[in-house]
Amino acid sequence: QMVCDSLVYLYEDSIIQMHRDPIIWSDQHQLSASKIVLYTKNRSPDHMEFFEKSFVASQETDIFYNQIAGTDMSAYFREKELQRIEVRKNANVLYFMKEAEKFNGINKAESDKIIFYLKDKKLDAVLFPTKSKGGMYPIKTTKPVDMYLTDFKWQKEIRPKDKNDIF
């Protein structure tokens, strides 16, 4: 599902441009930016480009959200599955660590570039090709305000639930 102010579909190139604060939802994931461009091949997603204020949030619980933010971002697909996300400029990540099905820590990091690899719809590896800073912090000692990156907004209230919400 997605919402945006304006959408342009370029039939000849199979490119979908979403303008003015678009938001895309997929399962428990919410992706947003100032502008999103989806490139398709053979009627399937190939890759997406996120421009300015790029943000990905994934809901773990009602209060825990894994988050990725940066100026610009690219997402790459293989056989309709998201395989890799590259975050460029002001890349930040915040995700919740789990041990024995219990959340016990928050991992926060920032870098000029961060690459995320996914496997079976789950995070498989994180690569920091440039110098990074951050660390892991116990949830018990973390203030609620520190559990969210700047510009985090979970917007489930505007997510279309069915086709009737569009019209």
Side-chain angles (χ1 to χ4, degrees), residues 78-129:
R78 185 180 303 137
E79 298 177 15
K80 299 183 183 180
E81 293 288 327
L82 185 59
Q83 296 291 309
R84 186 175 84 233
I85 297 173
E86 293 183 9
V87 186
R88 296 172 304 280
K89 298 179 194 164
N90 304 313
N92 287 275
V93 62
L94 180 152
Y95 61 94
F96 291 84
M97 305 296 292
K98 214 186 243 190
E99 189 174 311
E101 296 302 312
K102 185 178 179 185
F103 292 100
N104 60 358
I106 299 173
N107 195 334
K108 286 178 130 178
E110 60 182 78
S111 182
D112 193 46
K113 183 176 185 178
I114 306 173
I115 303 171
F116 301 88
Y117 293 93
L118 295 96
K119 189 175 184 178
D120 299 323
K121 298 183 181 182
K122 297 208 181 272
L123 183 64
D124 186 48
V126 180
L127 177 66
F128 294 90

Side-chain angles (χ1 to χ4, degrees), residues 17-142:
Q17 298 178 7
M18 295 158 263
H19 299 272
R20 295 193 186 147
D21 303 316
I23 303 170
I24 299 172
W25 293 272
S26 176
D27 299 322
Q28 75 275 16
H29 310 292
Q30 176 182 285
L31 303 92
S32 60
S34 295
K35 175 183 174 182
I36 300 174
V37 179
L38 171 62
Y39 297 85
T40 62
K41 278 187 184 175
N42 302 321
R43 299 182 181 225
S44 294
D46 181 62
H47 72 280
M48 295 173 74
E49 297 294 332
F50 298 78
F51 301 96
E52 299 176 19
K53 298 182 187 175
S54 302
F55 208 103
V56 176
S58 298
Q59 187 174 27
E60 288 285 342
T61 70
D62 288 342
I63 58 170
F64 296 156
Y65 297 86
N66 294 326
Q67 301 155 60
I68 302 169
T71 303
D72 297 320
M73 194 179 306
S74 299
Y76 300 92
F77 298 85
R78 185 180 303 137
E79 298 177 15
K80 299 183 183 180
E81 293 288 327
L82 185 59
Q83 296 291 309
R84 186 175 84 233
I85 297 173
E86 293 183 9
V87 186
R88 296 172 304 280
K89 298 179 194 164
N90 304 313
N92 287 275
V93 62
L94 180 152
Y95 61 94
F96 291 84
M97 305 296 292
K98 214 186 243 190
E99 189 174 311
E101 296 302 312
K102 185 178 179 185
F103 292 100
N104 60 358
I106 299 173
N107 195 334
K108 286 178 130 178
E110 60 182 78
S111 182
D112 193 46
K113 183 176 185 178
I114 306 173
I115 303 171
F116 301 88
Y117 293 93
L118 295 96
K119 189 175 184 178
D120 299 323
K121 298 183 181 182
K122 297 208 181 272
L123 183 64
D124 186 48
V126 180
L127 177 66
F128 294 90
T130 59
K131 188 176 179 182
S132 65
K133 64 179 180 177
M136 187 171 141
Y137 308 93
I139 287 180
K140 292 177 184 177
T141 60
T142 304

